Amino acid sequence: MTARLATAALDTLRANALRFLAIDAVEAARSGHPGMPMGMAEIAVALWTRHLKHDPADPAWADRDRFVLSNGHGSMLLYALLHLTGYDLPLDELKRFRQLDSRCPGHPEVGHTPGVETTTGPLGQGLANAVGMALAEKRLAAEFNRPGHAIVDHRTWVFLGDGCLMEGISHEAASFAGVQRLSKLICLWDDNHISIDGDVTGWFADDTPARFRAYGWNVVERIDGHDVEAVDRAIREALANADNDIGPTLICCRTTIGHGSPARAGTAGVHGAPLGADEIAATRAALGWPHAPFVIPDEIRESFDARAHGARRQAEWQTGFDAYRTAHPALAAEFQRRQRGELPVSWRVLSTALLRRAHNDAAAIASRKASQNAIERIARALPELLGGSADLTHSNLTDWPGCGALHANPEATRPGRHIHWGVREFGMAAALNGIALHGGHLPFGATFLVFSDYARNAIRMSALMRLRVVYVMTHDAIHLGEDGPTHQPVEHLPSLRLIPGLDVWRPCDAVETQAAWNAAVARADGPSLLALSRQALPHQNRSDAQLDAIARGGYVLADADAPQLAILATGAEVALAMAARERLAATGIAARVVSMPSTSVFDRQDTAWRNAVLPPELPRLAVEAAQPDLWWKTLAGAPRSAVLGIDRFGESAPAEALAERFGVTVEAVVAAATDLVT
Amino acid sequence: MTARLATAALDTLRANALRFLAIDAVEAARSGHPGMPMGMAEIAVALWTRHLKHDPADPAWADRDRFVLSNGHGSMLLYALLHLTGYDLPLDELKRFRQLDSRCPGHPEVGHTPGVETTTGPLGQGLANAVGMALAEKRLAAEFNRPGHAIVDHRTWVFLGDGCLMEGISHEAASFAGVQRLSKLICLWDDNHISIDGDVTGWFADDTPARFRAYGWNVVERIDGHDVEAVDRAIREALANADNDIGPTLICCRTTIGHGSPARAGTAGVHGAPLGADEIAATRAALGWPHAPFVIPDEIRESFDARAHGARRQAEWQTGFDAYRTAHPALAAEFQRRQRGELPVSWRVLSTALLRRAHNDAAAIASRKASQNAIERIARALPELLGGSADLTHSNLTDWPGCGALHANPEATRPGRHIHWGVREFGMAAALNGIALHGGHLPFGATFLVFSDYARNAIRMSALMRLRVVYVMTHDAIHLGEDGPTHQPVEHLPSLRLIPGLDVWRPCDAVETQAAWNAAVARADGPSLLALSRQALPHQNRSDAQLDAIARGGYVLADADAPQLAILATGAEVALAMAARERLAATGIAARVVSMPSTSVFDRQDTAWRNAVLPPELPRLAVEAAQPDLWWKTLAGAPRSAVLGIDRFGESAPAEALAERFGVTVEAVVAAATDLVT
């Protein structure tokens, strides 16, 4: 009984240590969110001191548990945990919470702080990231584990709040996790009944346990979130269920936001603002915490230290992995390559060969079909390629022969490689981020380009986190025709190009499509988005030098001895530009055609390349079936320039009728070019 | 018994009439979605011939029931119903389904086809539109009805499919509808177990009835969707519940997609492609429908005709309204004004006075605070103004003294005017569209600018539908500071400017904020988005002419006798430009400062105005703390030009440190301006 009491007393001290690191760091920063760390401190103690499998000395250990703080505004709780358990996060960094270049930014940022697994803050996305991580774990286990060798066997833990649960993406993520039976995903809900506007009664009255049961989740209810033992018992129950493969678990922890603050606990006032000196003093008194700001007594600090235990666990795993390597050397080497995110050594040769092959094939096919061909060929060489579509598989053309659908029960050694995400664009994109963050796969996902809107903030997060995620976005312009303006992208191409770090590709034929895929696969430090046509595109002939030049993002596809203007185009409009060039030549106007499948890649080229492609003295005409205004950046500096685009919403009609109506025709290009040079 | 059988037989014929109009129109178009109309035909018969309150001769009747086809790809079902019940939609239009300028576009488009209440197709949004409509109805009833005078008393009906239910927005909309107890919202779910990728078992296994019960909905389960009587009974049950105010209703109708097609019923193959001549013949045989394409026997046609009954119902309502007008003449006049969407006659004088007042106040406050002041002042004169925030009320500053929160139980005559949407940005925006479509309110909603991403497709839909919706988007740049890159918009301003028909305003002080609000309120045919600062902005002095010029979107705020360049800026950067102008003057460089709070409004001005503000010969420098590339459009034509912006993600730090780090300073403006002219 004494030992039990001692544990209880220590747990209280540990929880308060987390609480006051958060309180004091927020106070020092004069900004931040103390309420959540104060409310979830005991839950954190239960998970982080009793269950989480991690090695603070090696945040990259492949088989560590993944921890996701979906309610990312409570970042100080995570920083406190990382600091106290022994990650390379000195106290000085906590003291510089939210200051320039601190390793403790306002919201957790992956790559910025050791132990942070994903960047969170935009609510609900952390949960969806975690679903991707749990899916990656389950699939890798099915692919790589062998009898007696469970080298992939870890859990994904999520802290989340009411805000995450109100967001629509929580529905997509939880529903998908249920149908995929991601039993090693365990979420702890901070049920504090408060969101920023106050008590949630007036705007959030879901029976959340019933809702999650409806998704096929295992729900552990009515846990006192301030009782470490109770949370511990709930976690043990969840772990038992995980082993029984009955679905993901939601542990519902009743908590008080800002627990410990005499005046503000249980109110929205403690959510997102410092407590202030007086209330901090009162909280210290109420919780019996006599220590000065940022002072953690040694015995508490030591009780958190997870380094020795973590090193032991990793060593045990390493022993197991060594045995696995002995038994399955090729698999082990492949696992390690995949974990490192390295492409196969054959990739460089292969990608060049695929590009040459596409050129030799000279196929006049839709770029979505060309993408499917590229996928099939790449997938053969890259087992890490993991595809999928948000319920548009046969429109996006993302599957390939033999890929197999990834279902809840993958066969032991050949789990499927194509995911039916359902009609869940945002959840898919955020889960792709989680898959990429987890490691071991190169994920891509697909929908119609116009519905990139639904996923937009997750695409932004791919870019912010510099993840190798590939977005396959088909039906890239009004030419999709009859489905009408709700389905026709107009502003989407330029608006996606504005996202920093996202490479948008709009290939003009099957060759550029293969080049775009090659670039997307090779790009280790950021996402790529392929905008692909529904309709067939003619093949363009190229020299070897032109073939290589596609990777530059923009290049001269057809020239004249003394060109009078350059016509820039992307995608389907390249063929218009080529046809216009012929007609212009007949009227004595010499035009160069520049194909520019990726403006961001072109912008990264050196000045010499850019000036060679677009000589400053040459008038320029840009042609693209999209909102035209962003093209003026590429036109800047030319003596004369014009853009042919579409600055209003589309209409429902067959593609040819729309091309006429919206002036996306050879005649219009000829007329605009003629205007420009005469 | 004979009459009963006759009804059943007639219902079957009616359902088949709908079916074959859809089949034949899709076949004629060689594109479209026959599966849903074939599956929901009996449900449509039950609702449209027995319950829907409408007057085909007057699609604008204020107290009509609202019908929303959330699974908008089934548009031919709606067109068939509108045609047969007597709307101004001739058969020839159905024969031109999906052709250029047909009144039967691929997806329903409001304003395009009489009787279509909202534009649907992007899945899930129709449901959220309907939630907005039902909320508007409930609130208007609370505001305008008087004992014995129920002038607002109609229902909102929704057809929806599995796709809508998978989308995250369905969670936001349904959860919100539950907490608001929108009991007159009745949804009919086409539970056909098929989505585009096939049988949904592998990706959609929710217990949907349980899920909706968890939202506080009334759920009517296990209805045979091909039995008109069964659907009718379920609707009657829902209506009884509606009258008891126990929450919205979901009627779960088990159906077979493509019902009647021998080879394709129950498969994804019938979802989105014509059946083809052979299968159409087989379906005609199977269903015993001998009529040629587009031929509907007179007795079936007559049995659908709702004109006489509709006229009677509207006449009854009109009698009631006349009595209401006698008893409450002022209320009745106000109701009619609100329904017409007309502003009060005092608006023009008031808006000018408010602008003058803001100028006289000369307040150096955050533009979000100035927006709150504008809202308070406008709300006093415009009772139709209905505000709200996605759980950021005290950050967005959207409430005002006395507004009251709109809760499930509004008091009889003073329902609240501010909506706590919860953390549901997408659901909020789509519901705002529904409120605007319903009529009677001028809705605005708010979140952080960065989270416009979450709502983006609904903002697009506001523009596509040309709705008067106002988006209040605060924390408009990196200057929000410590919350870091997940919360700092960078690409959002330009990317929103790319949406056709959306007016984006980024005011530089309290005066421009009032002007932006004035413009947003006055704009009857499209949405406006106000991007507002977290931090205080200095007041700018203006002449009367300059005050009036704000409405032009761009104007000269400060000039020089012989300006050497124009510095264009928006929002917080206008003050930088003004300070830079002073410093440049000291070094002998004369700069004009152009404030450009709305580029789209400026672009709509005549050439004379635009050339007067930005003379073609004057070098131009654009300054904005956002992704800079779109500015090149406004700079095009100038002899020299440059943009000062931010082309990468933000960081977590205090605002001043970030301004230095990202070069958004007076010094940087001075340096760039100096570069440009020397």
Side-chain angles (χ1 to χ4, degrees):
Chain A
M1 203 58 194
T2 316
R4 175 84 184 282
L5 279 175
T7 303
L10 181 58
D11 282 337
T12 300
L13 290 170
R14 290 199 273 212
N16 285 337
L18 298 172
R19 234 167 229 128
F20 281 97
L21 281 177
I23 291 171
D24 294 332
V26 169
E27 188 68 14
R30 293 193 297 277
S31 101
H33 301 77
M36 180 286 229
M38 296 170 74
M40 291 196 84
E42 281 82 10
I43 300 169
V45 167
L47 174 61
W48 279 68
T49 69
R50 302 192 185 186
H51 298 284
L52 191 72
K53 179 170 84 169
H54 63 134
D55 181 359
D58 183 6
W61 173 26
D63 201 41
R64 70 191 183 278
D65 284 355
R66 304 303 197 268
F67 176 80
V68 173
L69 194 82
S70 191
N71 42 5
H73 52 272
S75 57
M76 261 314 302
L77 178 62
L78 180 52
Y79 301 142
L81 288 162
L82 294 171
H83 167 68
L84 289 172
T85 55
Y87 285 79
D88 179 20
L89 190 64
L91 194 60
D92 280 351
E93 292 293 324
L94 276 66
K95 290 180 180 171
R96 297 188 59 255
F97 179 52
R98 294 182 155 237
Q99 306 309 303
L100 198 63
D101 298 326
S102 164
R103 264 187 271 166
C104 296
H107 291 80
E109 296 181 33
V110 66
H112 210 84
T113 316
V116 169
E117 299 281 3
T118 177
T119 300
T120 51
L123 291 173
Q125 286 192 67
L127 172 62
N129 296 161
V131 168
M133 293 174 183
L135 186 80
E137 193 271 351
K138 184 174 178 178
R139 199 192 166 285
L140 287 170
E143 184 176 0
F144 284 99
N145 289 354
R146 289 294 178 271
H149 299 283
I151 61 158
V152 181
D153 184 16
H154 53 269
R155 296 187 164 77
T156 303
W157 305 90
V158 182
F159 281 9
L160 53 82
D162 291 334
C164 293
L165 291 175
M166 280 187 261
E167 289 287 3
I169 191 172
S170 71
H171 167 59
E172 300 182 12
S175 172
F176 180 80
V179 75
Q180 286 279 345
R181 278 223 313 288
L182 302 179
S183 299
K184 289 156 99 173
L185 174 68
I186 304 177
C187 301
L188 294 125
W189 168 31
D190 181 27
D191 176 17
N192 62 27
H193 226 265
I194 294 292
S195 65
I196 292 178
D197 275 4
D199 184 296
V200 298
T201 304
W203 50 89
F204 183 46
D206 292 1
D207 178 347
T208 294
R211 175 185 161 210
F212 274 72
R213 269 190 221 101
Y215 296 141
W217 284 49
N218 167 43
V219 178
V220 186
E221 273 188 85
R222 282 182 287 273
I223 301 304
D224 176 354
H226 296 296
D227 178 345
V228 173
E229 293 296 333
V231 176
D232 177 58
R233 278 193 303 274
I235 290 175
R236 284 177 201 281
E237 186 181 330
L239 290 172
N241 286 319
D243 293 338
N244 291 329
D245 190 27
I246 65 164
T249 294
L250 179 71
I251 301 176
C252 306
C253 304
R254 196 69 186 81
T255 63
T256 302
I257 190 171
H259 179 86
S261 161
R264 301 224 206 135
T267 74
V270 75
H271 164 82
L275 292 179
D278 291 351
E279 187 61 16
I280 291 175
T283 306
R284 280 193 148 76
L287 293 175
W289 186 264
H291 315 293
F294 295 107
V295 172
I296 306 294
D298 284 348
E299 63 181 332
I300 300 176
R301 187 176 283 282
E302 282 156 21
S303 81
F304 266 110
D305 193 332
R307 284 175 292 189
H309 186 65
R312 267 199 308 280
R313 293 199 75 165
Q314 177 155 203
E316 287 164 20
W317 178 83
Q318 188 62 49
T319 303
F321 188 79
D322 292 343
Y324 175 77
R325 180 159 40 203
T326 304
H328 308 282
L331 263 183
E334 177 70 357
F335 177 78
Q336 290 184 307
R337 178 188 73 77
R338 299 259 299 261
Q339 281 297 320
R340 286 191 302 263
E342 286 176 11
L343 298 174
V345 287
S346 60
W347 169 252
R348 184 178 283 269
V349 171
L350 174 73
S351 58
T352 306
L354 291 179
L355 187 63
R356 295 279 182 282
R357 172 172 169 187
H359 197 252
N360 292 339
D361 287 350
I365 53 179
S367 53
R368 61 175 172 150
K369 178 64 193 166
S371 166
Q372 191 177 39
N373 291 344
I375 289 167
E376 181 188 349
R377 291 161 191 170
I378 294 170
R380 224 175 283 147
L382 264 63
E384 59 265 49
L385 196 72
L386 180 61
S389 166
D391 201 44
L392 289 167
T393 298
H394 305 300
S395 295
N396 300 142
L397 301 182
T398 47
D399 58 348
W400 65 95
C403 62
L406 183 63
H407 286 313
N409 276 323
E411 292 128 53
T413 52
R414 285 212 59 204
R417 294 176 64 186
H418 187 273
I419 303 172
H420 291 289
W421 289 102
V423 192
R424 303 182 180 103
E425 299 82 7
F426 193 11
M428 170 179 74
L432 294 178
N433 289 339
I435 293 170
L437 286 162
H438 181 280
H441 291 106
L442 196 170
F444 70 90
T447 185
F448 288 153
L449 180 60
V450 79
F451 298 127
S452 62
D453 280 354
Y454 276 55
R456 188 169 170 94
N457 200 265
I459 299 172
R460 179 179 213 252
M461 294 301 293
S462 308
L464 179 57
M465 294 193 274
R466 300 174 178 274
L467 300 177
R468 179 150 51 187
V469 169
V470 185
Y471 293 100
V472 175
M473 300 284 179
T474 70
H475 296 62
D476 68 347
I478 58 162
H479 302 88
L480 66 86
E482 292 88 345
D483 276 340
T486 55
H487 284 56
Q488 291 165 358
V490 172
E491 72 278 23
H492 299 77
L493 279 169
S495 102
L496 289 161
R497 289 179 183 132
L498 289 166
I499 297 178
L502 175 68
D503 278 352
V504 175
W505 289 86
R506 186 171 185 245
C508 77
D509 67 0
V511 183
E512 284 191 0
T513 306
Q514 181 68 52
W517 260 109
N518 287 353
V521 168
R523 188 175 191 221
D525 64 347
S528 303
L529 184 146
L530 279 56
L532 303 169
S533 75
R534 179 192 186 198
Q535 77 276 22
L537 304 177
H539 169 73
Q540 303 296 339
N541 252 314
R542 294 172 184 82
S543 68
D544 281 355
Q546 285 174 315
L547 260 187
D548 294 337
I550 300 172
R552 300 264 201 165
Y555 63 99
V556 179
L557 179 63
D559 210 355
D561 283 342
Q564 294 162 266
L565 86 160
I567 307 177
L568 295 77
T570 78
E573 286 70 66
V574 169
L576 295 190
M578 293 294 281
R581 177 175 164 275
E582 298 280 329
R583 291 213 208 155
L584 288 164
T587 68
I589 297 174
R592 159 181 293 192
V593 171
V594 171
S595 179
M596 193 166 288
S598 178
T599 56
S600 61
V601 173
F602 180 72
D603 289 346
R604 288 201 294 269
Q605 304 305 311
D606 56 35
T607 310
W609 180 266
R610 286 185 281 117
N611 283 346
V613 173
L614 295 175
E617 70 280 7
L618 210 57
R620 298 174 199 168
L621 170 65
V623 185
E624 187 175 66
Q627 214 289 351
D629 294 352
L630 191 61
W631 278 107
W632 291 101
K633 183 200 175 195
T634 309
L635 303 181
R640 300 182 68 186
S641 50
V643 195
L644 202 68
I646 297 175
D647 61 1
R648 61 192 200 276
F649 291 114
E651 297 178 29
S652 168
E656 307 71 36
L658 291 175
E660 284 294 330
R661 167 71 52 94
F662 287 87
V664 188
T665 58
V666 176
E667 292 70 30
V669 179
V670 169
T674 308
D675 261 11
L676 205 56
V677 297
T678 54
Chain B
M1 203 60 191
T2 316
R4 177 85 184 282
L5 279 175
T7 303
L10 180 60
D11 282 336
T12 300
L13 291 170
R14 289 199 273 212
N16 285 337
L18 297 172
R19 236 169 225 125
F20 282 96
L21 281 178
I23 290 171
D24 294 332
V26 169
E27 189 68 14
R30 293 191 298 277
S31 102
H33 300 78
M36 181 288 229
M38 295 169 74
M40 291 196 84
E42 281 82 9
I43 300 169
V45 168
L47 175 60
W48 279 68
T49 69
R50 302 191 186 187
H51 298 284
L52 191 72
K53 178 170 85 171
H54 64 136
D55 181 359
D58 183 6
W61 172 26
D63 202 41
R64 71 192 182 278
D65 284 356
R66 304 304 197 267
F67 175 80
V68 173
L69 195 82
S70 192
N71 42 4
H73 52 272
S75 56
M76 261 314 302
L77 177 62
L78 180 52
Y79 301 143
L81 288 162
L82 294 172
H83 167 68
L84 290 171
T85 56
Y87 285 80
D88 180 19
L89 190 65
L91 193 60
D92 280 350
E93 293 292 323
L94 275 66
K95 291 180 180 171
R96 298 189 58 255
F97 179 50
R98 293 181 154 238
Q99 306 309 304
L100 199 63
D101 298 326
S102 163
R103 262 186 273 167
C104 296
H107 290 81
E109 296 181 33
V110 67
H112 210 84
T113 316
V116 169
E117 299 281 2
T118 178
T119 300
T120 51
L123 291 172
Q125 287 192 65
L127 172 61
N129 296 160
V131 168
M133 292 173 184
L135 186 80
E137 192 271 352
K138 184 174 178 179
R139 199 192 166 284
L140 287 171
E143 185 177 359
F144 283 99
N145 289 353
R146 288 294 178 274
H149 300 282
I151 60 159
V152 181
D153 184 17
H154 54 270
R155 296 186 165 79
T156 303
W157 306 89
V158 182
F159 280 9
L160 52 82
D162 291 334
C164 293
L165 290 175
M166 282 186 259
E167 289 287 4
I169 192 173
S170 72
H171 167 59
E172 300 182 13
S175 172
F176 179 80
V179 75
Q180 287 279 345
R181 278 222 313 290
L182 302 179
S183 300
K184 289 156 98 174
L185 174 68
I186 304 176
C187 301
L188 293 126
W189 168 32
D190 181 26
D191 177 17
N192 62 26
H193 225 265
I194 294 291
S195 66
I196 292 178
D197 275 4
D199 184 298
V200 299
T201 305
W203 50 89
F204 183 46
D206 293 1
D207 179 348
T208 295
R211 175 185 161 211
F212 274 72
R213 267 189 223 101
Y215 296 141
W217 284 49
N218 167 44
V219 179
V220 186
E221 272 188 86
R222 283 183 285 274
I223 301 304
D224 177 354
H226 296 298
D227 179 344
V228 173
E229 293 297 331
V231 176
D232 177 58
R233 278 194 302 274
I235 291 175
R236 283 177 202 281
E237 187 182 328
L239 290 172
N241 285 319
D243 292 338
N244 291 330
D245 192 28
I246 66 164
T249 294
L250 179 71
I251 301 176
C252 306
C253 303
R254 196 69 187 81
T255 63
T256 302
I257 191 171
H259 179 84
S261 161
R264 300 225 207 134
T267 74
V270 74
H271 164 81
L275 292 179
D278 291 351
E279 186 61 17
I280 291 175
T283 306
R284 278 193 149 73
L287 292 175
W289 185 263
H291 315 294
F294 297 108
V295 172
I296 307 295
D298 283 348
E299 62 181 331
I300 300 176
R301 188 176 283 284
E302 281 157 20
S303 83
F304 267 110
D305 193 332
R307 284 175 292 189
H309 186 64
R312 268 200 308 280
R313 293 199 76 165
Q314 176 155 200
E316 286 164 21
W317 178 83
Q318 188 62 49
T319 303
F321 188 79
D322 292 344
Y324 175 76
R325 180 160 40 204
T326 303
H328 308 281
L331 262 183
E334 177 70 357
F335 177 78
Q336 290 184 306
R337 178 188 72 76
R338 299 259 299 262
Q339 281 297 318
R340 286 192 303 264
E342 287 176 10
L343 297 174
V345 287
S346 60
W347 169 252
R348 183 178 284 271
V349 171
L350 174 73
S351 59
T352 307
L354 291 179
L355 188 63
R356 294 279 181 284
R357 174 173 168 186
H359 197 253
N360 291 339
D361 287 350
I365 53 180
S367 51
R368 61 176 171 150
K369 179 63 193 168
S371 166
Q372 190 176 41
N373 291 344
I375 289 167
E376 182 188 348
R377 291 161 192 171
I378 293 169
R380 224 175 283 147
L382 263 63
E384 59 265 49
L385 196 72
L386 180 60
S389 166
D391 202 44
L392 289 167
T393 299
H394 305 299
S395 295
N396 300 143
L397 302 181
T398 47
D399 58 348
W400 65 95
C403 62
L406 183 63
H407 286 311
N409 276 322
E411 291 129 50
T413 52
R414 286 214 55 206
R417 296 177 62 187
H418 186 272
I419 303 172
H420 292 288
W421 290 101
V423 191
R424 303 182 180 102
E425 298 83 4
F426 194 11
M428 171 179 73
L432 294 178
N433 289 339
I435 294 171
L437 286 162
H438 181 280
H441 290 107
L442 196 169
F444 71 90
T447 185
F448 289 154
L449 180 59
V450 79
F451 298 127
S452 63
D453 280 355
Y454 276 54
R456 188 170 170 93
N457 200 265
I459 299 172
R460 179 179 212 253
M461 294 301 293
S462 308
L464 179 56
M465 295 192 274
R466 301 175 177 273
L467 300 177
R468 178 151 52 189
V469 168
V470 185
Y471 293 101
V472 174
M473 299 284 181
T474 70
H475 297 60
D476 68 347
I478 58 162
H479 301 89
L480 65 86
E482 292 88 346
D483 276 339
T486 55
H487 284 56
Q488 291 165 357
V490 172
E491 71 279 22
H492 299 77
L493 279 170
S495 102
L496 288 161
R497 288 178 184 134
L498 289 166
I499 297 178
L502 175 68
D503 278 351
V504 175
W505 290 86
R506 187 171 184 245
C508 77
D509 66 359
V511 184
E512 284 191 0
T513 306
Q514 181 68 53
W517 260 110
N518 288 353
V521 167
R523 189 174 189 221
D525 64 348
S528 303
L529 185 146
L530 279 55
L532 303 170
S533 75
R534 179 192 187 199
Q535 77 276 23
L537 304 176
H539 169 74
Q540 303 295 339
N541 251 315
R542 295 171 184 83
S543 68
D544 281 354
Q546 285 174 316
L547 260 187
D548 293 338
I550 301 172
R552 299 267 202 161
Y555 63 101
V556 179
L557 180 62
D559 211 354
D561 283 342
Q564 295 162 266
L565 85 160
I567 308 177
L568 294 77
T570 78
E573 287 70 65
V574 169
L576 295 189
M578 292 295 280
R581 177 175 165 274
E582 299 279 329
R583 292 213 210 157
L584 288 164
T587 69
I589 297 174
R592 160 181 293 192
V593 171
V594 171
S595 179
M596 193 167 288
S598 178
T599 56
S600 60
V601 173
F602 180 73
D603 289 348
R604 287 201 294 270
Q605 304 306 310
D606 56 35
T607 310
W609 180 267
R610 285 185 282 117
N611 283 347
V613 173
L614 294 175
E617 70 280 7
L618 210 56
R620 298 173 200 170
L621 170 66
V623 184
E624 187 175 67
Q627 214 287 352
D629 294 352
L630 191 61
W631 277 107
W632 291 101
K633 183 200 174 195
T634 309
L635 303 181
R640 301 183 67 186
S641 50
V643 195
L644 202 69
I646 298 175
D647 60 2
R648 61 192 202 276
F649 291 113
E651 297 178 29
S652 168
E656 307 71 36
L658 291 175
E660 284 294 329
R661 167 69 52 94
F662 287 87
V664 187
T665 59
V666 175
E667 293 71 29
V669 179
V670 168
T674 306
D675 260 12
L676 206 56
V677 297
T678 54

